[in-house]
Amino acid sequence: MSTSVDLWLATIFEEVQPLFGKGRVADYIPALARVEPNQFGMAIAMVDGRHYAVGDAHVLFSIQSISKLFTFVLALKLIGDDIWQRIGREPSGNAFNSMVQLETEHGIPRNPFINAGALVVTDILTQRYAHLDLALLNFLRRMTDSPDLNWNKEVAKSERDTAHRNMAMAYFMKSFGNFVNSPELVLDNYCRQCATEMSCTQLAQAAIFLANDGLDIGSGEQVLTSEAARRVNALLLTCGAYDAAGDYAYRIGLPLKTGVGGGIVAVIPNIGTVCVWSPELDAKGNSLIGGYALERLMQLSGWGRMSLAM
């Protein structure tokens, strides 16, 4: 198996080289616009403890919307199914930062992984944690055994200075009674969580509990029940790639979460997790090379068929 996985990663690494330059970095956030675009890393963490990596898999990058997965897990652990009184469970079909549906649906975001939904999740956590950034970092540090993991102050400030649409969404939801804290405080927390920096290897390790019935392999912590982990994976499959979720489900067929920093973390139930990073994005805001790399991995490995059969 080890030889096969290494060969698959080496094959993918070679195949993606001609794709550099076909996307563009997230230049609407000034700090991200300065990221070197010609980078690619891919890491795999298996439920049996084995790890594989290729390229820039150990380089830290801004996880951005991938953080929404982990804050959602924290909120689910905190209030359980009460979360669905404030957020829906349906794909939006609109861009991740769209406000279109909020008025017709009375300030209830479609799902936790679009910006409006993630802001509500952050609002929920802001009620519980005086220092939400530390709560999230401590969770991720435990999952990765990386005590130095942190968020980037420059990226957080850059994002906060340009967060006008997110602020508008927060105030709009507050007008419907679906926001408790001040939008300013929630936006501060939200921008810090998005500015968390991790590598492919760390992200693959952090998400392994979703491939293992909610149990984290490294720490032995039961992060979620088996049923809750299955439901999180279902939402990642249907809502994790912005308004390209249907296309990703068709091409790749895995629960996954993307981020405009160029990262994608994907779950192969009963087998492991994969994280891929390349900063150049496609028109939907997902990593152009990352999407290709995940699709090729599933074609080469056949893991999607194996996980469904288990």
Side-chain angles (χ1 to χ4, degrees):
M1 171 67 83
S2 297
T3 303
S4 296
V5 177
D6 289 330
L7 179 59
W8 298 334
L9 290 179
T11 298
I12 292 168
F13 183 82
E14 291 301 319
E15 288 183 358
V16 303
Q17 300 306 310
L19 300 179
F20 286 117
K22 295 184 181 297
R24 56 185 299 175
V25 298
D27 52 9
Y28 66 94
I29 299 173
L32 295 186
R34 297 191 290 272
V35 173
E36 166 57 44
N38 295 334
Q39 300 184 80
F40 168 79
M42 194 168 189
I44 299 172
M46 308 290 282
V47 295
D48 63 9
R50 288 175 295 169
H51 295 82
Y52 306 89
V54 71
D56 300 308
H58 298 284
V59 175
L60 297 178
F61 64 91
S62 183
I63 70 172
Q64 291 296 310
S65 285
I66 298 176
S67 68
K68 297 171 182 175
L69 163 60
F70 299 110
T71 52
F72 173 62
V73 167
L74 289 178
L76 199 60
K77 287 166 63 67
L78 184 65
I79 66 173
D81 283 347
D82 287 347
I83 197 170
W84 305 123
Q85 297 177 19
R86 298 182 59 183
I87 307 171
R89 299 192 292 263
E90 298 292 335
S92 71
N94 289 318
F96 62 90
N97 60 354
S98 174
M99 297 178 63
V100 171
Q101 291 163 335
L102 282 177
E103 182 164 15
T104 58
E105 297 177 5
H106 309 290
I108 304 294
R110 277 288 177 97
N111 64 70
F113 300 137
I114 55 174
N115 284 18
L119 286 167
V120 171
V121 169
T122 304
D123 184 52
I124 291 168
L125 294 175
T126 299
Q127 289 180 260
R128 169 62 176 82
Y129 296 108
H131 299 283
L132 175 54
D133 54 339
L134 293 180
L136 175 61
L137 286 175
N138 287 337
F139 174 68
L140 292 172
R141 288 166 179 168
R142 286 201 316 276
M143 296 299 100
T144 60
D145 193 26
S146 302
D148 295 330
L149 192 150
N150 219 321
W151 53 274
N152 185 302
K153 293 181 179 179
E154 179 189 359
V155 173
K157 183 180 186 304
S158 180
E159 194 158 358
R160 184 66 177 83
D161 289 345
T162 56
H164 312 304
R165 180 179 287 266
N166 284 336
M167 184 68 77
M169 281 190 277
Y171 270 106
F172 198 60
M173 289 186 289
K174 195 171 183 68
S175 74
F176 282 99
N178 196 22
F179 224 77
V180 176
N181 299 279
S182 76
E184 288 80 7
L185 175 60
V186 173
L187 259 293
D188 287 346
N189 283 333
Y190 178 77
C191 291
R192 283 194 287 265
Q193 78 185 41
C194 288
T196 303
E197 291 187 325
M198 299 176 71
S199 67
C200 290
T201 53
Q202 290 173 329
L203 272 168
Q205 186 177 345
I208 194 69
F209 68 93
L210 290 172
N212 195 41
D213 291 328
L215 176 67
D216 179 59
I217 295 169
S219 67
E221 178 180 340
Q222 190 71 45
V223 180
L224 293 173
T225 65
S226 176
E227 180 70 5
R230 182 185 66 80
R231 290 178 170 176
V232 171
N233 284 337
L235 282 169
L236 289 172
L237 178 65
T238 58
C239 306
Y242 309 138
D243 50 330
D247 179 60
Y248 267 54
Y250 178 81
R251 290 168 45 211
I252 299 167
L254 296 179
L256 54 80
K257 186 70 196 81
T258 66
V260 297
I264 307 174
V265 64
V267 181
I268 313 169
N270 308 307
I271 294 176
T273 50
V274 185
C275 182
V276 59
W277 170 63
S278 190
E280 293 184 332
L281 309 179
D282 61 20
K284 301 291 187 180
N286 300 311
S287 174
L288 187 148
I289 291 177
Y292 173 86
L294 278 174
E295 184 176 7
R296 283 296 286 139
L297 178 65
M298 300 313 290
Q299 292 169 350
L300 292 168
S301 68
W303 280 341
R305 295 187 298 275
M306 291 169 59
S307 65
L308 289 172
M310 290 183 176

